[in-house]
Amino acid sequence: MLNDLMIERSNSFSDAKHANKTTLMGMHSVCQLLGTALLLLEIQANAQEDVDGYVNYGRGSCQDQRGKQYSYLQRIMSFPNAETCGRQECERFGNSGAYRGFEFSVTKRCTCLFDIDEIPPVPNDANSPKYVSKMDNGNGAVTGVSGTPGAHCYQFARNSGVMAESAGGFYYATLLASAAFYMMF
């Protein structure tokens, strides 16, 4: 009888050990799934295209070091992509030291950004789409984004004091951290 009790207890211990091992394997799978989700989320969040000569700051409205948004000019029409917006529409203002970059929205609107009180005059030709503008308090280089969905922020590299090749440092670091987290589990 004592032998039967010891065997039964041994089987119970073995079953508990197996259950713990199964639980750990399940947790490992969950951690791998979470790591993969973080990687995919980062890739999706930074999925907006890069534009030569610009630093892609990612999703949100461009902001200066004080968190202020910039004054803008926006032509009332749609643009096919961020490249066309930056290179063909806004970059013609690139010789102005007050031009800071552009925002390209999910509705395909192109918004050229300028320092406070520095919006250049633009003729509204009867044969061309009209411009709208808004004065705001942003001044100096773009240093961040609001993070609100709807637009992507691109800083004009020539007027920023940074090189466009250094774009996405934050996103690169986030991607590396996500990959490291994934590999740990």
Side-chain angles (χ1 to χ4, degrees):
M1 170 120 173
L2 186 57
N3 256 352
D4 290 340
L5 185 58
M6 288 178 63
I7 290 171
E8 186 177 315
R9 192 169 199 169
S10 175
N11 287 341
S12 295
F13 179 72
S14 178
D15 290 345
K17 186 176 176 183
H18 178 70
N20 284 342
K21 187 175 181 182
T22 303
T23 302
L24 287 175
M25 287 173 53
M27 287 176 58
H28 179 41
S29 296
V30 168
C31 288
Q32 280 185 325
L33 185 62
L34 181 60
T36 301
L38 285 172
L39 283 170
L40 291 174
L41 181 63
E42 176 55 33
I43 289 167
Q44 181 62 32
N46 199 26
Q48 186 67 33
E49 66 186 284
D50 288 333
V51 177
D52 287 339
Y54 290 86
V55 177
N56 181 346
Y57 267 79
R59 184 179 65 190
S61 296
C62 298
Q63 295 179 330
D64 69 4
Q65 71 277 4
R66 299 171 300 145
K68 302 293 183 183
Q69 295 179 355
Y70 295 89
S71 299
Y72 68 80
L73 274 176
Q74 182 184 75
R75 195 183 293 230
I76 306 300
M77 63 181 281
S78 294
F79 288 81
N81 54 41
E83 178 83 21
T84 304
C85 171
R87 305 285 293 183
Q88 293 180 14
E89 176 68 10
C90 293
E91 200 164 300
R92 62 184 148 142
F93 303 113
N95 288 332
S96 163
Y99 172 61
R100 294 300 165 196
F102 70 94
E103 294 170 3
F104 187 68
S105 75
V106 295
T107 60
K108 300 193 179 291
R109 297 288 184 181
C110 180
T111 305
C112 307
L113 306 173
F114 303 91
D115 285 338
I116 186 172
D117 298 327
E118 297 287 336
I119 296 176
V122 180
N124 273 321
D125 186 335
N127 298 327
S128 297
K130 296 211 178 284
Y131 283 93
V132 295
S133 63
K134 179 184 176 203
M135 298 299 272
D136 219 326
N137 293 318
N139 196 38
V142 175
T143 59
V145 291
S146 66
T148 51
H152 271 74
C153 170
Y154 294 86
Q155 179 183 36
F156 187 50
R158 198 168 73 199
N159 289 348
S160 69
V162 300
M163 297 302 295
E165 289 79 23
S166 67
F170 170 76
Y171 295 107
Y172 183 70
T174 304
L175 186 61
L176 283 177
S178 296
F181 178 78
Y182 176 79
M183 296 175 94
M184 285 182 357
F185 297 100

